[in-house]
Amino acid sequence: MILECEKLSKNYGGLRALDELNLKLESGKIVGLLGPNGHGKTTLIKILSGLLRQDKGTVLIDGKKVGVETKKIVSYLSERSYLSPGMKIRDVAKFFEEFYEDFDIKRANAIDELGLDRESRLKSLSKGNREKVQLIMVMSRKAKLYLLDEPMGGVDPAARDYILKTIISNYSEDATVIISTHLIQDVEQILDEVVFLKEGKVMFHRDVDELRMEEKKSVDALFREVFSC
C-alpha cells in the first residue's frame, strides 16, 4: 500500500471538510479523485502533501507518517501555482533540480518540445503553457506518489491532451498518481481506479474497468447520476 488513511477528519471552524475518511491505495495506479467542489478533494491532497494537518485519524504514505520522509517521495502539483510569475523557465528547472534530490533533468528536457524560449518568464506564457511547464517539472521527479490537484483547470482541449500524455509517459509503473479533477470525461481514459468523495467521506472506491462492466456506463455518466441532486 502506498497510501493508507484511517478515520481521517478535518474541520474548518464549523465546516467539516473530511469526515472519518478511510482509503487505501496500492502502488502502480492512476487514480481519479472525484467529487463536486467543497467535498474534500483539495483538503485531502493538502494533508497528503504535508501542507495541512488532520484534526483526527492517521495517514501513512509508504508506511510512514506524513513528514520530512514522505515529502521526499511525494510530488505535488497545487491547484494554484506556488512559482513566482517573474521566474524564467530555465530558473524553474534549476529550482526543482536544486530543491529535489529525485529530480530527473532528462525528463524535464521535455519542456523543449513546447517550443518555448527558456528565457521566457512564466507571466508571459499562456495559462495552458504555464500549466504544462509546471506539470513537466512535477512529473520529472522520481516520486512514489504524485498528487495533481486540477492539473487541467481552465486550459483548452489541446493542452489537456498534452497534459494527459505527460502524466502517462512520466510516471513509473511502481508509482501512483492521484488526479483531482472535475473534467472526468477528459481523464477517464487513463484512470485505473476512481474514488468518489461526498461530504468528506469516500462514497465508493472502484476499479474503472469493473465499474464499466458492472454499471454498464462510463465513470462520467455514473458521476452525473450520483451527484445530480
Side-chain angles (χ1 to χ4, degrees), residues 96-218:
F96 270 79
E97 186 175 21
E98 292 178 349
F99 201 79
Y100 298 108
E101 293 181 3
D102 63 354
F103 186 73
D104 186 344
I105 193 63
K106 291 182 179 179
R107 286 190 192 179
N109 287 337
I111 205 167
D112 293 328
E113 298 175 4
L114 300 177
L116 300 174
D117 184 351
R118 290 200 179 207
E119 295 298 310
S120 298
R121 299 185 186 277
L122 293 180
K123 63 183 178 183
S124 71
L125 305 181
S126 67
K127 181 174 178 56
N129 280 332
R130 286 197 303 273
E131 295 285 350
K132 291 174 185 176
V133 168
Q134 292 170 162
L135 181 66
I136 288 172
M137 295 300 118
V138 168
M139 297 303 298
S140 292
R141 289 184 56 196
K142 296 178 181 179
K144 290 187 177 182
L145 179 63
Y146 297 88
L147 305 172
L148 311 180
D149 194 3
E150 295 291 352
M152 298 179 294
V155 300
D156 59 59
R160 293 174 196 167
D161 290 342
Y162 181 88
I163 288 169
L164 292 179
K165 177 184 174 184
T166 300
I167 294 170
I168 293 172
S169 60
N170 282 277
Y171 96 102
S172 61
E173 292 183 357
D174 59 349
T176 289
V177 181
I178 298 178
I179 305 174
S180 170
T181 183
H182 64 281
L183 298 171
I184 302 168
Q185 197 168 22
D186 290 303
V187 303
E188 183 171 342
Q189 59 184 303
I190 72 168
L191 299 180
D192 297 306
E193 299 179 357
V194 291
V195 175
F196 280 19
L197 285 192
K198 185 173 183 179
E199 297 177 353
K201 293 178 178 286
V202 173
M203 189 174 186
F204 67 77
H205 174 199
R206 300 277 295 277
D207 177 274
V208 169
D209 290 335
E210 291 178 1
L211 185 151
R212 291 194 187 105
M213 290 178 61
E214 294 174 9
E215 301 292 339
K216 308 299 182 185
K217 61 188 68 173
S218 67

Side-chain angles (χ1 to χ4, degrees), residues 60-72:
L60 296 178
I61 297 176
D62 200 30
K64 306 176 185 69
K65 291 185 178 181
V66 175
V68 174
E69 292 304 310
T70 63
K71 288 183 179 182
K72 293 179 180 178

Side-chain angles (χ1 to χ4, degrees), residues 27-95:
S27 297
K29 306 286 186 179
I30 299 180
V31 182
L33 183 63
L34 313 177
N37 290 337
H39 284 250
K41 301 190 302 298
T42 294
T43 297
L44 175 58
I45 285 180
K46 285 184 175 180
I47 288 174
L48 301 183
S49 69
L51 292 178
L52 283 178
R53 184 172 294 180
Q54 69 269 28
D55 296 327
K56 296 179 181 179
T58 59
V59 180
L60 296 178
I61 297 176
D62 200 30
K64 306 176 185 69
K65 291 185 178 181
V66 175
V68 174
E69 292 304 310
T70 63
K71 288 183 179 182
K72 293 179 180 178
I73 61 172
V74 172
S75 191
Y76 169 55
L77 177 70
S78 64
E79 185 177 8
R80 296 181 180 179
S81 176
Y82 51 83
L83 300 173
S84 169
M87 293 179 74
K88 295 180 180 180
I89 293 175
R90 64 172 173 80
D91 295 331
V92 175
K94 185 177 180 181
F95 167 79

